[in-house]
């Protein structure tokens, strides 16, 4: 994920920050990819909102909203388009987070207290994991020393004070 604002994923009444851009897979498949003007926090030029809901074949990833600085971006990409639209073009893993981000481990990993990981095949959710990561400890000082160059160490890391 870049420095772009996260897209939103609605799942069972909860809104997660989505750490992927599922629409990009569709855009790459087009013979001529439309270019939307980039904006701060939105390098791809569009914002999409997603929802996992029940469809004919089980739980399905749907595109529910698409905004871009052009008239009717949905019609531009899909022709006659009515939202919500099943994301049948997407296969892969999606990670959604809820709450503030923390870091732990070496090499450091960024995570949130609540995460959802979805395995999607042709738009259909085949597996999902809801994780409660509140019990995962913050990064220890020893892990932080290993992950940062010495010139970035704060006084606590230099002195070796208690955590």
């Amino acid at each position: 994920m870049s420095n772009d604002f996260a897209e939103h994923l609605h799942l069972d009444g909860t809104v997660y920050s989505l750490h992927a851009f599922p629409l990009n897979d569709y855009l790459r498949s087009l013979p001529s990819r439309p270019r939307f003007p980039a904006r701060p926090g939105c390098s791809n030029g569009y914002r999409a909102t997603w929802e996992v809901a029940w469809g004919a074949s089980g739980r399905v990833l749907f595109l529910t909203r698409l905004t871009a600085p052009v008239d009717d971006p949905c019609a531009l990409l899909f022709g006659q388009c009515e939202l919500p639209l099943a994301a049948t073009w997407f296969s892969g893993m999606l990670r959604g987070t809820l709450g503030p981000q923390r870091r732990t481990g070496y090499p450091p990993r960024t995570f949130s207290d609540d995460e959802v990981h979805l395995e999607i095949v042709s738009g259909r959710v085949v597996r999902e994991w809801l994780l409660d990561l509140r019990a995962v400890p913050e990064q220890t000082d020893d892990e932080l020393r290993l992950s940062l160059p010495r010139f970035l160490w704060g006084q606590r890391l230099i002195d070796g004070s208690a955590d």
Side-chain angles (χ1 to χ4, degrees), residues 68-130:
V70 297
D71 290 333
D72 201 358
C74 195
L76 173 69
L77 296 178
F78 300 103
Q80 293 292 18
C81 173
E82 191 170 315
L83 297 177
L85 178 66
T88 56
W89 63 85
F90 182 77
S91 292
M93 293 295 294
L94 293 179
R95 174 180 166 244
T97 60
L98 182 64
Q101 293 189 340
R102 300 187 290 139
R103 293 171 64 86
T104 191
Y106 180 77
R109 178 183 181 279
T110 302
F111 64 97
S112 294
D113 287 344
D114 294 293
E115 292 191 5
V116 61
H117 294 257
L118 304 171
E119 183 179 356
I120 311 281
V121 175
S122 299
R124 201 169 116 288
V125 178
V126 294
R127 289 194 293 180
E128 63 184 88
W129 299 267
L130 294 172

Side-chain angles (χ1 to χ4, degrees), residues 11-12 30 38 43 47 59 75 80-81 85 90 122 135 138 146:
L11 176 72
D12 299 332
L30 297 175
S43 65
R47 294 289 307 266
R59 288 173 56 92
Q80 293 292 18
C81 173
L85 178 66
F90 182 77
S122 299
E138 297 280 341
L146 291 171

Side-chain angles (χ1 to χ4, degrees), residues 54-66:
W54 288 98
S57 62
R59 288 173 56 92
V60 176
L61 177 66
F62 288 94
L63 173 64
T64 59
R65 185 168 183 227
L66 181 62

Side-chain angles (χ1 to χ4, degrees), residues 151-163:
F151 71 89
L152 290 177
W153 290 8
Q155 195 61 43
R156 184 185 84 220
L157 295 178
I158 293 169
D159 294 345
S161 309
D163 289 346

